[in-house]
Amino acid sequence: MSQSLKRSYRFALRTALFISVFLTVIMGVFALLEIRSLWISLLIFAGLCYVFSFLIIQYRVERFIYRRIKKVYDNVSLLDSKTLSPNQITTDMSSLTREVKKFAEDKKLEIETLKVRENYRKEFMGNVSHELKTPLFTVQGYILTLLDGAHKDKVIRKKYLARANKGVERLIYIVKDLDMITKLETGDLHLRYENFDIVELIQASFDLLEMKAARKNITLIFDIDYEEPIYVRADRERIQQVLTNLIVNSVKYGKKGGTTEISIENLIKNKVIVRCTDNGEGIESENIPRLFERFYRVDKSGSRKEGGSGLGLSIVKHILEAHGERIYVESVFGVGSEFSFTLEKSKKIPGDSVIPEIT
């Protein structure tokens, strides 16, 4: 505070000194000229004093404030101080106050975002290490057992090698899924658009997962019989992956003897919405916002027994976003869940040729 007062005192003393010197010079000039008319001399003197005082005070104030503001800009790196000029600085401090306030708010938001990202990074790294170490330790255990002498028994050797191979396959599965998400996030994954029948694709997904669903006595069905094809325009292979992941997820968390039902509805003129509904466990409301995070699991224990990489829903979200589409979730805990996503309708019936497009 004392330092600030000293600076203001120096500013006031120097300004007063300039004005005093000017007034002394003017008085001396008037004395030398011996102007006889008092009123005229007073008016001229007052006018000259007013103009000079205004100019010197304005110049000094702007220079004083400019130096202080330049220091503030330099300290907070708000703007490049080299771009400032005295003409930009006035005695009105409201603009600086607004910029500093905005700077503080932006920095606060940036810090909060970094904290969220840091927490997410820590959780993500923990999940990755957990997902990778489980199959790695499994494979290592079987190999060490074989090295300790179990390889001499042909039956045990074959069984342990087969189990080790399953662990390696799981590692490859996780790495492939991570690689796909990385490509989707960075835009390196190319989509090959084509016109195809979504009903046929869903039925193909049903046929592919029929045995998996049968293990839990879950029925895969349409809501109605779709006698006419429904053509959409998208990457057929990626959309099949979306359907497969959603159906697998539905079966994984479904109740024994339950159903997984898929329906297709017109949403707007050029869009359809595909709904995947089950009557399984359902999802608690606090878990829904995090469903599409990588490795996030609602049931930490049960879902791991079911297998999977923990990346299925995250891949679904990224594939649909790459198409410019969205996915929605509605769930009631203990009743069931519905995942739905939009697709663009095809403007024409597909022919023999496929038109590739890169996005």
Side-chain angles (χ1 to χ4, degrees):
M1 183 67 181
S2 59
Q3 184 67 20
S4 178
L5 288 174
K6 288 180 181 178
R7 288 177 179 175
S8 63
Y9 286 162
R10 287 199 299 270
F11 167 78
L13 288 171
R14 289 176 181 175
T15 304
L17 177 62
F18 292 148
I19 294 175
S20 299
V21 170
F22 174 77
L23 292 176
T24 302
V25 171
I26 292 297
M27 289 294 294
V29 170
F30 272 82
L32 291 173
L33 294 176
E34 296 182 354
I35 299 177
R36 297 178 180 180
S37 177
L38 181 61
W39 290 106
I40 294 176
S41 61
L42 286 174
L43 289 174
I44 295 174
F45 179 75
L48 290 173
C49 289
Y50 177 80
V51 172
F52 177 79
S53 297
F54 172 80
L55 293 175
I56 193 65
I57 292 173
Q58 179 66 17
Y59 172 77
R60 292 281 297 159
V61 167
E62 284 189 351
R63 187 172 177 81
F64 179 78
I65 294 175
Y66 172 72
R67 288 178 176 176
R68 304 286 85 75
I69 292 178
K70 183 177 180 297
K71 188 173 182 179
V72 172
Y73 274 62
D74 289 338
N75 289 339
V76 301
S77 300
L78 183 61
L79 291 173
D80 185 2
S81 60
K82 294 178 181 178
T83 63
L84 295 175
S85 66
N87 294 331
Q88 292 177 285
I89 308 303
T90 66
T91 55
D92 181 12
M93 301 293 288
S94 60
S95 59
L96 175 64
T97 303
R98 286 194 301 268
E99 289 188 17
V100 171
K101 184 178 179 181
K102 183 178 181 299
F103 170 80
E105 291 174 351
D106 291 343
K107 286 298 179 184
K108 182 180 179 182
L109 180 61
E110 183 179 343
I111 292 170
E112 291 175 352
T113 303
L114 289 173
K115 287 181 179 179
V116 171
R117 289 181 178 178
E118 176 63 16
N119 292 333
Y120 175 76
R121 185 191 65 81
K122 289 179 180 178
E123 186 175 346
F124 174 71
M125 293 302 295
N127 287 331
V128 170
S129 63
H130 181 88
E131 293 293 338
L132 293 178
K133 75 180 180 181
T134 302
L136 278 173
F137 288 166
T138 301
V139 172
Q140 185 185 42
Y142 288 129
I143 292 175
L144 289 175
T145 303
L146 291 172
L147 290 174
D148 287 340
H151 67 281
K152 296 178 182 179
D153 189 323
K154 292 183 179 180
V155 176
I156 293 178
R157 180 175 63 197
K158 184 176 180 180
K159 181 171 68 175
Y160 279 18
L161 286 174
R163 290 179 179 178
N165 183 61
K166 286 184 179 180
V168 173
E169 287 178 352
R170 176 168 170 76
L171 285 170
I172 294 172
Y173 181 64
I174 293 172
V175 171
K176 282 184 176 179
D177 282 354
L178 281 172
D179 181 59
M180 175 171 289
I181 289 179
T182 302
K183 287 181 178 179
L184 286 165
E185 289 180 341
T186 57
D188 291 337
L189 186 69
H190 300 314
L191 300 178
R192 191 168 182 265
Y193 280 81
E194 59 182 293
N195 302 318
F196 61 90
D197 181 10
I198 187 64
V199 178
E200 180 185 352
L201 189 64
I202 294 170
Q203 185 60 58
S205 301
F206 280 169
D207 296 340
L208 183 66
L209 300 170
E210 185 177 7
M211 292 183 64
K212 185 177 183 68
R215 295 192 192 102
K216 294 184 69 172
N217 196 26
I218 291 177
T219 307
L220 307 178
I221 58 173
F222 284 102
D223 62 325
I224 60 173
D225 291 330
Y226 292 94
E227 298 178 355
E228 297 293 331
I230 300 175
Y231 293 105
V232 296
R233 187 171 186 274
D235 187 315
R236 180 188 177 95
E237 182 180 348
R238 300 305 174 194
I239 296 302
Q240 183 168 26
Q241 189 173 7
V242 168
L243 290 166
T244 300
N245 286 353
L246 290 179
I247 295 171
V248 166
N249 201 62
S250 176
V251 171
K252 183 188 298 184
Y253 295 100
K255 295 178 181 179
K256 290 186 177 180
T259 60
T260 294
E261 179 184 279
I262 291 189
S263 62
I264 310 165
E265 303 172 12
N266 288 319
L267 185 62
I268 54 177
K269 185 177 180 181
N270 64 330
K271 296 279 186 181
V272 297
I273 186 167
V274 180
R275 304 181 188 275
C276 180
T277 309
D278 64 64
N279 54 0
E281 300 175 4
I283 306 165
E284 293 180 340
S285 57
E286 60 266 24
N287 291 320
I288 291 179
R290 301 191 62 189
L291 280 179
F292 299 100
E293 291 181 12
R294 288 175 283 188
F295 295 112
Y296 183 77
R297 298 177 188 269
V298 175
D299 184 355
K300 305 290 183 183
S301 58
S303 60
R304 295 190 190 279
K305 294 178 182 178
E306 293 287 345
S309 66
L311 298 168
L313 289 179
S314 182
I315 290 174
V316 166
K317 176 177 177 288
H318 282 88
I319 289 176
L320 291 172
E321 286 181 347
H323 281 81
E325 306 293 347
R326 296 186 63 185
I327 185 166
Y328 307 89
V329 185
E330 292 182 9
S331 184
V332 178
F333 186 67
V335 177
S337 305
E338 178 183 280
F339 288 81
S340 56
F341 61 92
T342 58
L343 286 175
E344 182 183 351
K345 290 182 183 178
S346 176
K347 296 179 180 179
K348 60 181 179 179
I349 298 175
D352 297 331
S353 60
V354 174
I355 302 175
E357 180 175 323
I358 296 176
T359 60

